[in-house]
Amino acid sequence: AQSVTQLDSHVSVSEGTPVLLRCNYSSSYSPSLFWYVQHPNKGLQLLLKYTSAATLVKGINGFEAEFKKSETSFHLTKPSAHMSDAAEYFCVVSYGGATNKLIFGTGTLLAVQP
Amino acid sequence: GAGVSQSPSNKVTEKGKDVELRCDPISGHTALYWYRQSLGQGLEFLIYFQGNSAPDKSGLPSDRFSAERTGGSVSTLTIQRTQQEDSAVYLCASSLEGRIQETQYFGPGTRLLVL
């Protein structure tokens, strides 16, 4: 089955230090890949998406992700964490087909310590 | 412009009752999706509409769940004879045409609690 795996359910970093949230996808054929963020009691917001144009994708709020086909990975990074980055992050894949439905990872809860 | 809206934001119901959840997509978006977010199952796809048709209902968990869309706009998700395991946040999303690589824009969700 097509799927996406987020390797860490919780990540804790100190403010000002780098963030790395890991994601691997199953490789049937070229997917579209997304990262969404969900702040407490807020809706899902798109951070960035990979659509086969450039392998390094820049998103909002200083986040970026690199598509590595050889590793079937799409890890999310940010050079310097801010307190406002504390939220749950979802790696999401779509394989297109008739519906373009999204398949979500289980989420990574990011905590940022002062 | 206005985003995806959902109503009600919260719904508490008793086991066995029927509930209706509403989604207003972004104007002009032909594709509409329903997802469910629950503690045990994470975020999962329920149903996809293209216009008023639902070519993919594969995620609906049982025949107690149904959905319709009218006028290519508003959609209603109905759960009949609710069970406690139906408690979850129901999310609606829309996109322009339903093509691969399109961004899906999510509403704030309806939090359903079945007592």
Side-chain angles (χ1 to χ4, degrees):
Chain A
Q2 297 157 344
S3 66
V4 58
T5 302
Q6 292 185 246
L7 298 160
D8 306 296
S9 59
H10 292 82
V11 169
S12 182
V13 301
S14 298
E15 190 175 21
T17 64
V19 175
L20 170 64
L21 305 183
R22 298 182 293 167
C23 172
N24 287 90
Y25 64 93
S26 64
S27 177
S28 298
Y29 44 95
S30 295
S32 289
L33 291 156
F34 309 79
W35 277 97
Y36 278 83
V37 61
Q38 188 174 39
H39 287 92
N41 299 314
K42 296 283 182 69
L44 284 161
Q45 181 184 18
L46 179 70
L47 271 181
L48 51 80
K49 65 179 179 181
Y50 167 74
T51 57
S52 76
T55 57
L56 182 62
V57 183
K58 294 187 184 298
I60 61 171
N61 300 333
F63 284 94
E64 61 182 38
E66 186 172 7
F67 173 72
K68 291 187 177 180
K69 188 174 181 179
S70 61
E71 299 176 8
T72 61
S73 70
F74 190 58
H75 301 333
L76 183 70
T77 60
K78 182 174 181 177
S80 176
H82 191 273
M83 295 296 289
S84 61
D85 294 329
E88 187 154 27
Y89 292 79
F90 293 93
C91 184
V92 182
V93 65
S94 174
Y95 293 95
T99 68
N100 198 30
K101 65 186 178 187
L102 300 180
I103 300 168
F104 285 80
T106 49
T108 298
L109 190 60
L110 175 66
V112 182
Q113 309 298 329
Chain B
V4 178
S5 60
Q6 294 184 246
S7 61
S9 54
N10 290 280
K11 176 73 176 177
V12 181
T13 190
E14 294 179 349
K15 178 181 171 181
K17 295 287 179 78
D18 297 353
V19 295
E20 284 189 354
L21 312 179
R22 177 187 168 108
C23 171
D24 283 87
I26 293 172
S27 177
H29 281 193
T30 63
L32 185 148
Y33 303 80
W34 283 97
Y35 295 87
R36 179 170 72 172
Q37 186 174 23
S38 58
L39 281 176
Q41 302 298 322
L43 263 155
E44 53 184 350
F45 165 82
L46 296 178
I47 186 170
Y48 160 66
F49 285 93
Q50 178 57 249
N52 293 335
S53 300
D56 189 348
K57 306 178 184 180
S58 63
L60 295 178
S62 75
D63 58 7
R64 296 186 295 104
F65 287 72
S66 63
E68 65 174 10
R69 189 178 184 195
T70 55
S73 180
V74 173
S75 176
T76 303
L77 177 69
T78 301
I79 309 173
Q80 295 179 307
R81 306 181 302 282
T82 51
Q83 303 295 311
Q84 288 180 332
E85 62 261 28
D86 299 334
S87 296
V89 178
Y90 289 82
L91 295 168
C92 177
S94 71
S95 72
L96 188 60
E97 295 180 336
R99 297 186 180 193
I100 190 170
Q101 304 180 354
E102 276 184 2
T103 298
Q104 292 184 24
Y105 297 90
F106 283 81
T110 293
R111 188 175 299 273
L112 175 66
L113 178 61
V114 182
L115 301 177

